Amino acid sequence: MTDEVGTEAVPDGSEEWLRRALDDVASSVSAPPQAYRKGQADWRRRAYRRKALLGILVLTVVAVVCAIGLLVLSCGSASTHVIYDDAGTGTAVVPFPPASS
């Protein structure tokens, strides 16, 4: 049987019995005095670890990318630096360093 809002209707007295039972259970649970502070400190420590790990990961990725870029750039030869490589299409090929006049 449901009431006008669509929720299950409970028999008379059972709602009050359930309320008293839950109140008894809730009153029997006691938290240590410093439980909130310990939980908050634990949460902050975990957040700090996550941020530190993410920072280390980002720095590592940036360092590896920079090292790869430097390695690729250092593999080039000084005599083959060309601005335009299409000599047959009428574009200028300028050797590096340009000849001084």
Side-chain angles (χ1 to χ4, degrees):
M1 180 175 184
T2 59
D3 58 4
E4 61 275 353
V5 238
T7 58
E8 287 285 325
V10 290
D12 293 332
S14 61
E15 184 177 347
E16 184 61 34
W17 175 84
L18 182 60
R19 185 179 314 275
R20 276 187 275 132
L22 290 176
D23 285 340
D24 289 342
V25 170
S27 65
S28 68
V29 175
S30 62
Q34 299 297 323
Y36 178 75
R37 287 190 178 137
K38 287 181 181 178
Q40 189 178 28
D42 186 43
W43 179 83
R44 285 182 180 173
R45 185 173 46 253
R46 288 181 183 183
Y48 176 75
R49 285 181 185 172
R50 280 192 300 268
K51 289 178 184 179
L53 182 64
L54 183 63
I56 290 170
L57 181 66
V58 166
L59 286 175
T60 304
V61 168
V62 168
V64 167
V65 168
C66 287
I68 290 172
L70 289 173
L71 181 67
V72 167
L73 289 174
S74 69
C75 290
S77 173
S79 62
T80 59
H81 291 283
V82 176
I83 294 176
Y84 298 106
D85 200 14
D86 298 329
T89 61
T91 57
V93 175
V94 180
F96 182 81
S100 60
S101 49

